[in-house]
């Protein structure tokens, strides 16, 4: 029902910034919140943050607040993840997700993008 395509990843030096984009297509997009997850090498998938359809409600994991910001442009059906002051520990594949709010926060998600690689060098 929903297709998600991430873009914007790349290789960045520590302290730099990137903005990831997730373009959504399909039916009933207004029924879904959207979020970001990441998976670092050798580690389990980690929740990054989420945003409601209206954009009025956002949530990010405590360790990333102040560096990562989620925003949404519904006219373009696109969600963004602005990442500042990047650290080598942020190196991971970043995945876009779509589902109702409670499922995203719980990590039980029906729709996933294919991921975009973010590599932070030191």
């Amino acid at each position: 029902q929903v297709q998600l395509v991430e873009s914007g990843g790349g290789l960045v030096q520590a302290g730099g910034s990137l903005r990831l984009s997730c373009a959504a297509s399909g039916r009933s997009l207004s029924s879904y919140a959207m979020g970001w997850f990441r998976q670092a090498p050798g580690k389990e998938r980690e929740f990054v943050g989420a945003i409601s359809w209206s954009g009025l409600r956002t949530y990010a994991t405590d360790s990333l607040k102040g560096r990562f910001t989620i925003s949404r442009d519904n006219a373009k059906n696109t969600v963004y993840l602005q990442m500042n002051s990047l650290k080598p520990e942020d190196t991971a594949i970043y995945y876009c997700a779509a589902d109702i709010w409670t499922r995203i926060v719980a990590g039980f998600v029906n729709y996933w993008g294919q991921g975009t690689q973010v590599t932070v060098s030191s």
Side-chain angles (χ1 to χ4, degrees), residues 78-91:
T78 299
V79 170
Y80 305 97
L81 179 65
Q82 179 67 47
M83 305 185 294
N84 299 323
S85 301
L86 285 163
K87 305 174 181 179
E89 65 190 73
D90 296 319
T91 295

Side-chain angles (χ1 to χ4, degrees), residues 37 45 47 100-109:
F37 293 77
R45 185 177 60 208
F47 173 76
I100 63 173
W101 179 269
T102 54
R103 292 187 186 273
I104 290 179
V105 172
F108 186 75
V109 177

Side-chain angles (χ1 to χ4, degrees), residues 27-45:
R27 287 189 169 189
S28 302
L29 296 180
S30 62
S31 299
Y32 301 106
M34 297 181 68
W36 290 93
F37 293 77
R38 68 183 184 182
Q39 187 166 19
K43 297 184 178 180
E44 297 296 319
R45 185 177 60 208

